[in-house]
Amino acid sequence: MIETQAEPEHIAISKSKGIQIDWKDGHHSEYSLGYLRDECPCAVCTGAHGTEPEKTNYSAPAPSNPFQLYKPTLKMLNVEAVGHYAIGIDWSDGHSSGIYSFDHLRKICRCAQCKA
Ligand SMILES: [Zn+2]
Ligand SMILES: [Zn+2]
């Protein structure tokens, strides 16, 4: 028996807004697009291969620098199940190597209860 594994009961996906998950234990999580992209668990974004992490900051407020290039609106192009334990997200910025395991998603839940 695996007690710690996070299991979703229902996943609601909006490609322009984000993902909401109702967990089997009754917990509810909401993830905005920018937040999910910033929390991409792949080796490139986290620097798992000993390289510099290429962290994005989509969830950060827009910079006030007028010379900053306009940041295109982030969207999910495609979301698909990866086995029974994860989802893979294809981002509009060309990134698609992130596999979001349900354990990871549960860990990065931002609700008041999880942040406490
Ligand atoms: Zn990534
Ligand atoms: Zn939570």
Side-chain angles (χ1 to χ4, degrees):
M1 188 172 132
I2 306 161
E3 281 183 285
T4 51
Q5 194 159 18
E7 269 193 86
E9 175 80 40
H10 179 74
I11 305 177
I13 294 165
S14 163
K15 286 182 178 166
S16 57
K17 290 202 188 80
I19 295 178
Q20 297 190 18
I21 301 178
D22 285 314
W23 301 98
K24 284 215 165 118
D25 62 0
H27 201 79
H28 178 79
S29 304
E30 295 184 19
Y31 311 94
S32 68
L33 288 180
Y35 182 64
L36 279 173
R37 179 66 184 83
D38 289 348
E39 293 298 323
C40 177
C42 85
V44 175
C45 295
T46 59
H49 295 325
T51 50
E52 272 299 298
E54 290 183 26
K55 273 275 168 208
T56 56
N57 65 339
Y58 282 102
S59 59
S64 49
N65 180 354
F67 300 106
Q68 185 86 20
L69 283 175
Y70 173 70
K71 203 160 41 170
T73 311
L74 184 70
K75 266 195 252 174
M76 297 190 284
L77 302 178
N78 191 39
V79 182
E80 56 184 18
V82 179
H84 292 294
Y85 70 95
I87 51 174
I89 301 177
D90 239 343
W91 295 104
S92 58
D93 66 356
H95 195 67
S96 62
S97 48
I99 304 290
Y100 295 73
S101 71
F102 296 131
D103 278 352
H104 179 68
L105 287 168
R106 180 61 184 253
K107 220 176 291 166
I108 62 172
C109 176
R110 284 203 296 182
C111 77
Q113 198 186 332
C114 292
K115 274 201 289 191

